[in-house]
């Protein structure tokens, strides 16, 4: 056995050495690369000033008396899954983010998704966005690509080059699902654009539905069918209204009903209204009752504000520094959810999940200094928890290309993928942490505690799992290095007893403004061009002794921070990661052939597979045990060496 371990370590060393070799940026290229690749919005280094410390500030010591059982709580949410926060991926960036085709899957993507799967049981991802609305199928593309952009097409009235895809797109998605438990939403499909040709209203382009159902099977969650502003403005006369949308939805259902290649007919998602129409305008057409057998979920899309002016000159200019404080208090999430409370109640009554299908900090790419900051991450987490409390069943953070500020993750542009690793935006942590807030049992219910006199800077939530108080979430939005705005929450369990101790995971950075040095339970994914999807550093879960006699647990929360308090032991997160960037660079693409991963026994069905919780660290700090399966390392590395020798 010992010999085996030595062998493994030796081979691991060889592989590690090759990181240096293949990861080197050739001399002379460095400055050119940084000049071209770091100016893009996704790597923007703007750091805003944190808002002033409020005066008067919130109380720095307050008590939360929280019922031990869900039966004593009013306004508790419906059951929420750990998959609550997913990602909405702009179709045009799939090649960069997912891989060129089904033979090549991006390893950092698998790791980033696996982190969430390990906490939530699965990950929900939507492919869609504006560039998808005019997407259409072609039998083949150059160089074996799964996706490409169409050349300018006079048939396309928006003159936006359409995304074109082959059957292999679905194999790519399916292959990703074979490594990590990813469930997919496809859409949105504009009713108009899926007709062939664009000016023909008699036929629908149903291939995308046919192929996704055929290839993805149970991994397809639903197909989003929507309208869009472009559609209304360019293709429809002014009488296009919610009733016209509902009627066309009906036409699509009829077309699907007649299509024997579409076996699943109850997974449509609509109306995805995002502004000009309220959801009520669509409900009032009888949409839900009329199409109830075909609707898998109801949906909306919404961004709190926009940053369109700098790019398109439309709307008005919003100064990021001025906007920043709007994201840094509890009012934001509440105000964003309030317009949908009627609809979430209507959805519940109809037995349909209600989804925020696309959101992020601001449309048109977000704001420099806000969208990618620690404060932006606190905001997104609070907003997500507020949506869950408001009885949304899921929300998807939008992911665009290099040219947006709000990405949870960004792949390097293909032409520099040999030299750079990925970049994670602070809101990735929001999705990851929300997965831990809700966990894997599908029974979590959340309530906004509104303690500390409902102070807007110190929101708190309680989460019940299987009916019992399981976790408490505590925010501090204030940045105050003096320590004067740190607070201590005293948790007391009403109708029960405080546990002997609680475990606390902190989400920390020095300021709401920072974009680097962000840690979750002591670990970080790294900063710009440093991310391979694995956590770095030693896991730090803080154990706090409670006073069982007094029924109190005192939890300190620095300014700024988020703290997740586990009343029972925090679950052991042992993410099976896909290793690593090494061979991707060796292969000359930031990818690993799927076939290699597929045949590397142990990489499939990763459930509970032990692997390092952090790159370069084999210690699982919470339990002090070695968590690397050396046999697994050996198998992977062996496959890897075979692969390297082939190049
Ligand atoms: C960040 O983006 C803003 C807005 O596009 C731009 O004005 C600024 O120069 C960029 N800053 C850096 C450091 O990239
Ligand atoms: C969420 O749904 C539950 C169960 O129907 C209800 O009691 C609660 O009031 C709803 N929450 C909100 C914020 O509307
Ligand atoms: C993926 O691309 C590679 C390289 O261009 C090509 O050799 C391979 O056949 C493609 N795979 C598929 C499934 O099309
Ligand atoms: C990946 O997709 C290809 C189709 O291009 C298929 O042959 C292969 O079996 C898939 N691999 C996995 C692991 O699903
Ligand atoms: C659609 O447009 C094409 C090309 O402009 C034209 O030839 C065709 O007649 C149009 N079809 C309809 C139904 O209007
Ligand atoms: C406007 O479009 C609707 C369908 O959305 C159609 O029924 C109506 O006839 C059109 N009106 C005109 C004036 O073209
Ligand atoms: C909720 O929506 C329904 C359906 O549109 C509408 O009839 C009702 O007036 C709305 N209720 C509130 C309180 O907005
Ligand atoms: C809190 O956020 C709301 C909504 O984003 C904003 O309108 C308000 O001005 C903010 N309050 C403070 C004190 O910054
Ligand atoms: C990568 O591609 C971009 C866009 O085409 C270009 O501006 C940049 O110079 C390229 N970088 C390198 C190192 O080739
Ligand atoms: C949670 O729900 C998902 C389906 O959304 C299901 O696959 C999973 O098995 C459920 N987990 C538990 C613990 O019941
Ligand atoms: C309390 O939790 C249990 C178990 O998850 C659930 O069955 C029950 O419906 C919940 N009760 C309320 C009032 O939410
Ligand atoms: C990183 O953050 C930690 C606490 O969040 C702080 O102690 C440390 O000084 C920071 N490091 C840098 C380099 O800013």
């Amino acid at each position: 056995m010992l010999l085996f371990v030595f062998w493994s370590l030796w081979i691991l060393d060889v592989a590690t050495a090759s990181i240096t070799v293949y990861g080197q940026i050739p001399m002379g290229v460095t400055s050119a690369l940084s000049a071209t690749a770091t100016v893009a919005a996704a790597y923007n280094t703007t750091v805003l000033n944190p808002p002033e410390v409020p005066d008067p500030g919130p109380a720095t010591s307050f008590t939360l008396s929280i019922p031990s059982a869900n039966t004593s709580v009013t306004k508790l949410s419906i059951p929420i899954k750990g998959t609550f926060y997913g990602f909405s991926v702009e179709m045009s960036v799939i090649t960069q983010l997912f891989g060129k085709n089904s033979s090549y899957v991006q390893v950092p993507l698998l790791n980033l998704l696996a982190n969430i799967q390990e906490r939530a049981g699965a990950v929900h991802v939507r492919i869609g966005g504006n560039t998808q609305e005019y997407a259409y199928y072609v039998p083949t593309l150059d160089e074996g690509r799964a996706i490409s952009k169409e050349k300018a097409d006079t048939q396309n009235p928006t003159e936006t080059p359409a995304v074109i895809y082959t059957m292999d797109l679905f194999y790519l998605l399916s292959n990703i699902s074979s490594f990590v438990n990813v469930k997919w939403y496809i859409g949105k499909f504009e009713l108009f654009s899926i007709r062939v040709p664009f000016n023909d209203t008699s036929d629908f382009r149903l291939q995308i539905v046919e192929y996704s159902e055929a290839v993805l099977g149970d991994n397809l969650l639903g197909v989003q069918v929507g309208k869009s502003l472009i559609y209304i403005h360019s293709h429809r006369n002014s009488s296009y209204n919610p009733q016209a949308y509902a009627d066309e939805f009906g036409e699509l259902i009829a077309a699907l009903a007649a299509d024997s290649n579409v076996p699943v007919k109850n997974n449509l998602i609509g109306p995805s209204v995002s502004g000009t129409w309220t959801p009520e305008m669509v409900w009032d057409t009888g949409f839900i009752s009329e199409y109830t057998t075909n609707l898998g979920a109801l949906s909306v899309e919404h961004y709190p504000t926009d940053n369109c002016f700098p790019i398109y000159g439309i709307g008005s200019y919003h100064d990021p520094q001025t906007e920043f404080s709007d994201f840094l208090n509890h009012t934001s999430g509440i105000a964003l959810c309030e317009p949908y409370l009627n609809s979430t109640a209507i959805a519940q009554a109809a037995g349909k999940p209600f989804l925020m299908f696309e959101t992020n900090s601001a449309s048109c790419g977000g704001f420099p200094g806000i969208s990618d900051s620690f404060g932006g991450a606190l905001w997104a987490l609070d907003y997500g928890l507020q949506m869950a409390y408001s009885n949304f069943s899921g929300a998807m953070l939008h992911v665009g290309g290099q040219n947006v500020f709000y990405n949870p993750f960004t792949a390097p542009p293909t032409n520099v993928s040999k030299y750079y690793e990925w970049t994670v935006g602070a809101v990735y942590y929001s999705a990851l942490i929300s997965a831990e807030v809700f966990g894997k049992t599908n029974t979590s219910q959340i309530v906004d505690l509104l303690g500390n006199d409902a102070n807007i800077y110190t929101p708190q939530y309680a989460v019940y799992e299987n009916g019992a108080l399981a976790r408490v979430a505590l925010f501090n939005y204030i940045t105050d290095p003096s320590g004067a705005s740190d607070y201590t929450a005293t948790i007391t369990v009403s109708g029960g007893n405080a546990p002997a101790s609680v475990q606390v995971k902190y989400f920390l950075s020095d300021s709401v403004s920072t974009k680097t040095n962000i840690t979750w339970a002591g670990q970080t994914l790294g900063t710009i061009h440093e991310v391979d999807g694995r956590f770095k550093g030693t896991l730090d879960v803080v154990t706090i002794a409670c006073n069982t006699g007094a029924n109190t647990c005192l939890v300190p929360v620095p300014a700024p921070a988020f703290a997740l308090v586990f009343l029972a032991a925090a679950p052991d997160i042992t993410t099976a990661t896909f290793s690593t960037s090494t061979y991707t660079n060796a292969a000359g693409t930031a990818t690993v052939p799927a076939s290699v991963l597929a045949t590397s026994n142990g990489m499939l069905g990763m459930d509970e597979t032990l692997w390092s919780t952090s790159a370069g660290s084999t210690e699982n700090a919470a339990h002090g045990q070695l968590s690397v399966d050396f046999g697994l390392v050996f198998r992977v590395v062996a496959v890897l060496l075979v692969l390297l020798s082939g190049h």
Side-chain angles (χ1 to χ4, degrees), residues 300-317:
V300 291
E301 296 180 3
H302 187 71
Y303 291 79
T305 180
D306 74 85
N307 188 27
C308 298
F309 188 81
I311 312 172
Y312 302 110
I314 54 171
S316 54
Y317 176 66

Side-chain angles (χ1 to χ4, degrees), residues 111-192:
N111 284 334
L112 290 168
L113 296 176
N115 292 334
I116 292 181
Q117 174 203 256
E118 199 58 44
R119 289 158 171 85
V123 195
H124 290 182
V125 181
R126 168 231 191 182
I127 61 163
N130 293 337
T131 54
Q132 198 263 318
E133 295 182 9
Y134 296 93
Y136 64 90
Y137 168 82
V138 291
T140 57
L141 285 168
D142 291 349
E143 298 173 39
R145 290 174 189 281
I147 276 204
S148 188
K149 272 183 205 160
E150 174 193 64
K151 300 201 175 66
D153 178 9
T154 49
Q155 288 273 294
N156 177 343
T158 64
E159 285 158 28
T160 309
V163 171
I164 43 184
Y165 63 89
T166 69
M167 195 64 186
D168 197 48
L169 167 63
F170 306 102
Y171 292 122
L172 171 61
L173 304 184
S174 179
N175 278 359
I176 291 172
S177 292
S178 70
F179 299 127
V180 182
N181 189 19
V182 181
K183 306 286 184 190
W184 303 95
Y185 290 109
I186 311 281
K188 87 191 151 222
F189 297 94
E190 269 205 51
L191 284 164
F192 191 80

Side-chain angles (χ1 to χ4, degrees), residues 489-508:
T490 299
I491 295 171
T492 171
V493 181
S494 68
N497 292 309
S501 66
V502 291
Q503 289 198 306
V504 185
K505 288 190 177 183
Y506 286 101
F507 184 41
L508 295 174

Side-chain angles (χ1 to χ4, degrees), residues 236-237 239-240 244:
R236 281 290 181 272
N237 61 45
S239 71
Y240 189 75

Side-chain angles (χ1 to χ4, degrees), residues 577-631:
T577 56
F578 297 88
S579 161
T580 74
S581 56
T582 330
Y583 39 101
T584 69
N585 289 349
T589 63
T591 52
V592 59
S595 55
V596 171
L597 285 177
T599 53
S600 64
N601 187 22
M603 282 308 196
L604 297 171
M606 325 185 324
D607 293 354
E608 312 307 331
T609 308
L610 293 178
W611 187 256
S612 179
T613 52
S614 58
S617 146
T618 54
E619 269 243 301
N620 179 331
H623 297 270
Q625 78 212 11
L626 271 183
S627 63
V628 168
D629 172 350
F630 281 109

